Amino acid sequence: MFDFIKYKYVSISFSAILIAVGFGVTFGKYGGFATSLDFDGGLRAVVEFPENVERKNLEEYFSAKNLEAVLVLMDKDKNDYQIDIGLGSVDQIKQLYIERKGKDSVEAKQASAIDALIGLLQEDFKLEKKKILSANQVGSVVGAELTSTGISLLGLTLFFIMIYLSFRFQFKFALGAILALIHDLVITIAFIGFFQIKPSVPIIAALLTLLGYSINDTIVVFDRIRENAGNLRDTFSKVINLSINQTLSRTFNTSVATLISVVAIIIGGAVELYDFAYVLTFGIILGTFSSVFIAAPLVDIYDTLSQRWKRS
Amino acid sequence: MKSVQWIFVPILVVASSLTLLYPNFAERELELAVRKEFKELPEETRKEVLSNFAERWKTDYNPKSDWQIEPDPNIFPDQDYYLVKGRFITSAKINQLSQENQELILEPKNKLRPTWVEEYIFGGRPLAIRLGLDLQGGMRVVLKGDFDDYTSKLKDSYTKEIEELTRKKSDASLSEKERKEAQDKLKEIESYFELTPSRKLAELEKAKLIIDNRLTNQNLTEPQVRIQKDQDSIEVSLPGVSNSSQILDIIRNTETVEYRLREPSDSNANSRGTYHDAIELEEMKLMNEGRKEETEIVKFQNIVKQKLGKDEQDKFLAAMEKKYNIPEKYKLYVKWSRANNPKASLLPREFVVLERAISLDGKDMRNARESYDQNRLSYYVSFSLTSQGAEKFFDITSKNVGRQLAIVWGDKVISDPVIRSPIAGGNAQIDGEFGQKEATDLANVISEGALPIPLNVLEMRFIGPTLGIESIEVGLKAVLLGFALVIVFMLVIYRLSGFVADIALLVNVIVLMALLSLMGFTLTLPGFAGIILTVGMAVDANVIIYERIKEELASGKHVSAAVAQGFDNAFWTIMDSNVTTLISGILMIKLGNGPIKGFAITLCWGIITSLFTSLFLSRMIMDLLVNKFGVRKLRIGFKKLESKNV
């Protein structure tokens, strides 16, 4: 039997380091999270290119200019492309335009990012003005939807879970579960920043899945603790430790089974789901880790502290 | 044990689920309707269109040739459709096919033949699970209601009444009571302009209904229109659509149809009204001097030809109204018609002065249909009137015999026949110089009514259709692969019990998909995520149970007792963990939108189905195995754990 409780501070410190490193790299090295059109908005232009311009040409064009652009072919017959450029590349576009026009030219001084993009495309592909079908700065779609509801949603969810767990278990379990949940979310978000994964709808889905998985995992362990606490005359710490050990093979088997189905997405080559699968793989490992090393030990710490308060 | 009697429940559930899912995986038949007019095209054009279609069929539409088409796309079919047979025919594909071959295929007549399940059990209602745009590609437009414009137009229409009432309110010659009445009426009118959120919502609902109808008439398969309450906007999702501007025009069209009387003419037989005559005189003068280019009508035609927009046209007309001193009571319009040649384009030809008051508007008309008039070689639109409309129409036509009654479509006068005699009965028709498309459009505007609020495009987004279809195929394979691996894993770890868990898992997914398909749920990528989590939780429930049974066996209990005890011990664990997840799921459905909601719906239903399979189905099968079939050894895990007191 492994003594999880004995090493609780080691595991909590480990988590703390993960969080520090994750956010440190995110903000220190990259200056924040990766930008995406879904979340931060950006530039969007719909352009009708001459027939001889193919997707490959366009991709080469943008990568040569060091611009991150997402291309969608809208109309095959007309060779219409939708070009999405994230906020991250906006400065670069302006810079290029200023270089082209000369620093002191009126055009360069007054140009907005979208003007700069149109200017560059028009010159480089010799386009007439009317071939630029639309061009505008777009707002964030998912980002706006989520920031408005996301935080209140998370708060309410945690609140209701807390009520349910306090009712079914005890307050200290509810607290442990909620903290473990926040722990998982924070580290996963740090992970997303660390690897500069672009926030998108699938990433949100992955975070939500993780939330569900993590709660589930933690409760199974807690349930065992509750059961054992009634039967045994041991100290609470020992009960926790015993319960973790008893549920260990279940925790392991479930994690492996769930991981298999997620890893299959990566093996199966669903490129568009890669980010989703990475976040989920990491999240499941983390969720498993937290239910064993974080949630229950936190309950133990809270229990010890409250005992001490009662005595003093 | 009661298990034996209950065995029919899961069998029934699985059987009906599979029936429900049948339309999803069965081979389907799609009738791609061919335009009748296609036959009348010149031979050369026909050949070209057909060979284009055949070419695209081979390269783009069906590169893997897993669909069959009859006859060969190079040949014009004998019956009036091509028959496409195959699995997984998505609406995006149908829309792509018909929109990219508009000369050949007639969208409104395309038909995905219902499977027997849909035909006989659900009375033709389509049952296949819909795929979201992220999975099959298409176009998403968010349209924001322009309520400022709406109120300002509304205010315009009440200008006269407000003036009148304001005068009455402070008119000392009127009695106290009459003044009070005027004041109340004024207040009531003012309240019309205050848009409460619930009124905005009501207007958006009306707009949604009309957009729905218009899209149905385009026969786009599975368009989705939903209101985003918090943003006063309407979101439209169109799978597989690539000819965006045309569809967008149709959605946003705010055109109305109404009848207005022409200004009265004086006794002179040639006169068509004082102001009309004044304008005509001036135009004639310029024409006679050979200054055709300076005539107002040519100037106006130029505005139209150069596509300067409606604002410019309105400005021009307002200036003319001023120039000719046309009183407030009347309004200047332009009559559009064709030159002598019926194939010529519709252009403004003549200025017409109409009463500002509307005699009959679109609300009074319904059931419009376009028809072809053999004698005049053009289309006309017939419609019926509501009972109230019929009364009004009779009233107007009987009081104004000899006057002209103009039909205004949008801002164009399209016809202005003279009233010969009072028209009774509920039917009428509009003859204009219509082509087929115009007649259809006009009929649609009358039948569906006008859009109550102008809509601005807030956001427009394309998801490349081919990209989407590839990604769903790969995604589906990946999910199936994962599923297969999980099944093998469970078999390896839990042997016979693992097999039971696998059955439970399969049933779980089948029932879940059937439920989603019954609800008309639209599956998106986040929805997929929800299903993956469901699989994980279903596996987990079984693992918890088996680990419990294992413990009971290790403590030396009899197999049958161990199984019963294992299930009992696991019950509340499974309940607690599922209920907590369910709580978060329900909150996500209530508060979340878009991706979050899609995820949460699959998750919540998944929890319910997995509770059923793990707590009821698994238990029943295990019961049967242990108590009926006399299984005495359960090997769980790699250690041999057998009950010792056999």
Side-chain angles (χ1 to χ4, degrees), chain A residues 11-33:
Chain A
S11 50
I12 290 171
S13 314
F14 176 68
S15 283
I17 292 169
L18 273 187
I19 294 173
V21 170
F23 284 108
V25 170
T26 304
F27 290 100
K29 191 174 165 199
Y30 299 110
F33 291 92

Side-chain angles (χ1 to χ4, degrees), chain B residues 355-616:
Chain B
E355 281 188 2
R356 203 172 269 275
I358 298 168
S359 306
L360 196 72
D361 69 17
K363 284 196 227 55
D364 300 317
M365 311 173 208
R366 59 181 177 177
N367 302 337
R369 258 185 34 210
E370 76 273 14
S371 313
Y372 189 67
D373 184 342
Q374 291 287 350
N375 299 326
R376 302 176 36 165
L377 301 173
S378 70
Y379 284 83
Y380 66 93
V381 176
S382 55
F383 60 90
S384 51
L385 288 157
T386 61
S387 56
Q388 206 188 359
E391 232 169 80
K392 267 196 222 169
F393 203 54
F394 179 73
D395 193 42
I396 294 161
T397 48
S398 43
K399 278 185 195 150
N400 296 289
V401 172
R403 273 180 81 181
Q404 280 172 297
L405 187 60
I407 296 130
V408 188
W409 175 15
D411 51 359
K412 301 178 182 123
V413 173
I414 45 171
S415 165
D416 53 352
V418 177
I419 304 168
R420 308 250 173 241
S421 56
I423 301 170
N427 297 300
Q429 73 181 52
I430 302 172
D431 303 307
E433 295 169 345
F434 300 125
Q436 191 201 0
K437 192 179 172 314
E438 286 146 4
T440 314
D441 286 351
L442 177 59
N444 285 345
V445 170
I446 295 176
S447 301
E448 294 146 15
L451 210 55
I453 29 168
L455 297 170
N456 297 326
V457 178
L458 195 66
E459 172 82 37
M460 185 156 81
R461 153 168 302 230
F462 295 89
I463 300 118
T466 38
L467 215 68
I469 285 170
E470 277 162 23
S471 73
I472 178 180
E473 278 174 2
V474 180
L476 206 62
K477 271 181 201 147
V479 170
L480 288 178
L481 175 69
F483 200 67
L485 288 175
V486 171
I487 284 179
V488 172
F489 174 79
M490 290 298 282
L491 271 177
V492 170
I493 300 286
Y494 294 112
R495 316 294 170 89
L496 181 62
S497 321
F499 181 67
V500 176
D502 286 343
I503 292 176
L505 200 58
L506 273 175
V507 172
N508 188 12
V509 174
I510 290 170
V511 175
L512 175 60
M513 295 306 266
L515 272 175
L516 294 178
S517 135
L518 195 61
M519 291 188 307
F521 178 78
T522 304
L523 192 63
T524 57
L525 220 50
F528 253 4
I531 294 173
I532 291 178
L533 181 57
T534 304
V535 170
M537 302 220 6
V539 169
D540 187 44
N542 282 297
V543 171
I544 292 170
I545 294 164
Y546 297 150
E547 291 295 326
R548 281 306 187 126
I549 296 177
K550 190 165 97 182
E551 282 171 30
E552 298 300 324
L553 285 173
S555 73
K557 281 211 175 102
H558 185 270
V559 175
S560 136
V563 167
Q565 193 64 47
F567 273 99
D568 286 342
N569 285 341
F571 183 84
W572 278 111
T573 313
I574 294 170
M575 268 305 195
D576 280 336
S577 61
N578 279 286
V579 168
T580 2
T581 315
L582 197 62
I583 289 174
S584 64
I586 289 170
L587 284 171
M588 283 184 229
I589 295 178
K590 286 267 170 241
L591 294 176
N593 44 18
I596 300 182
K597 207 166 178 174
F599 169 80
I601 290 172
T602 46
L603 178 62
C604 285
W605 285 106
I607 288 171
I608 291 164
T609 54
S610 88
L611 282 177
F612 164 75
T613 52
S614 57
L615 294 178
F616 177 75

Side-chain angles (χ1 to χ4, degrees), chain A:
Chain A
M1 205 163 82
F2 186 80
D3 197 345
F4 290 98
I5 295 303
K6 195 172 156 193
Y7 297 105
K8 61 190 171 202
Y9 292 110
V10 178
S11 50
I12 290 171
S13 314
F14 176 68
S15 283
I17 292 169
L18 273 187
I19 294 173
V21 170
F23 284 108
V25 170
T26 304
F27 290 100
K29 191 174 165 199
Y30 299 110
F33 291 92
T35 52
S36 77
L37 211 73
D38 281 350
F39 268 76
D40 310 291
L43 306 178
R44 168 169 295 161
V46 180
V47 180
E48 186 179 334
F49 285 102
E51 269 173 40
N52 56 10
V53 177
E54 288 174 29
R55 175 183 283 272
K56 213 174 65 198
N57 307 121
L58 291 173
E59 276 167 3
E60 279 164 13
Y61 172 79
F62 286 109
S63 69
K65 291 204 171 337
N66 205 9
L67 294 170
E68 267 187 57
V70 179
L71 299 166
V72 180
L73 179 59
M74 278 170 47
D75 196 326
K76 266 187 193 151
D77 299 332
K78 285 192 191 144
N79 211 22
D80 286 356
Y81 276 91
Q82 172 181 291
I83 303 164
D84 283 356
I85 290 178
L87 275 185
S89 294
V90 164
D91 289 339
Q92 171 71 2
I93 286 181
K94 276 195 197 159
Q95 196 55 41
L96 283 170
Y97 194 62
I98 292 171
E99 275 166 28
R100 175 83 51 96
K101 292 282 163 195
K103 213 193 258 169
D104 302 316
S105 71
V106 186
E107 284 150 307
K109 270 185 189 160
Q110 289 178 348
S112 67
I114 201 76
D115 296 334
L117 176 65
I118 295 172
L120 289 175
L121 288 175
Q122 263 185 304
E123 280 186 24
D124 294 341
F125 291 95
K126 302 193 175 48
L127 300 170
E128 291 168 59
K129 182 135 203 184
K130 68 173 186 200
K131 298 288 178 186
I132 313 269
L133 304 177
S134 83
N136 47 350
Q137 189 110 24
V138 297
S140 52
V141 195
V142 187
E145 270 182 23
L146 286 180
T147 39
S148 58
T149 53
I151 293 169
S152 59
L153 184 60
L154 195 65
L156 262 177
T157 307
L158 293 179
F159 176 72
F160 277 102
I161 289 176
M162 201 131 145
I163 288 180
Y164 180 76
L165 291 187
S166 308
F167 172 69
R168 287 279 305 145
F169 295 80
Q170 280 169 41
F171 175 70
K172 59 186 173 195
F173 289 102
L175 192 72
I178 296 300
L179 287 177
L181 210 58
I182 294 172
H183 161 269
D184 290 351
L185 275 181
V186 170
I187 298 190
T188 311
I189 290 168
F191 171 84
I192 290 169
F194 185 91
F195 287 100
Q196 291 289 296
I197 294 171
K198 281 191 174 129
S200 63
V201 173
I203 298 300
I204 294 302
L207 278 175
L208 296 171
T209 314
L210 160 69
L211 203 91
Y213 182 81
S214 173
I215 299 170
N216 189 54
D217 220 22
T218 307
I219 291 199
V220 173
V221 178
F222 282 5
D223 198 74
R224 205 47 178 272
I225 299 174
R226 179 181 58 179
E227 190 185 316
N228 287 339
N231 299 335
L232 289 173
R233 263 160 255 119
D234 259 326
T235 61
F236 193 57
S237 305
K238 280 196 177 149
V239 171
I240 293 178
N241 205 37
L242 175 73
S243 308
I244 297 176
N245 275 290
Q246 281 177 339
T247 50
L248 210 55
S249 67
R250 168 262 150 202
T251 309
F252 181 76
N253 285 346
T254 300
S255 303
V256 172
T258 317
L259 265 183
I260 285 174
S261 60
V262 177
V263 172
I265 294 176
I266 302 173
I267 302 170
V271 182
E272 274 148 65
L273 295 174
Y274 273 4
D275 285 350
F276 169 75
Y278 289 145
V279 173
L280 214 51
T281 306
F282 177 80
I284 288 170
I285 295 171
L286 188 73
T288 310
F289 166 81
S290 82
S291 61
V292 173
F293 290 92
I294 303 291
L298 279 176
V299 177
D300 182 54
I301 293 173
Y302 177 83
D303 190 62
T304 321
L305 285 177
S306 64
Q307 297 290 339
R308 209 174 289 163
W309 287 330
K310 263 185 205 160
R311 257 180 268 140
S312 59

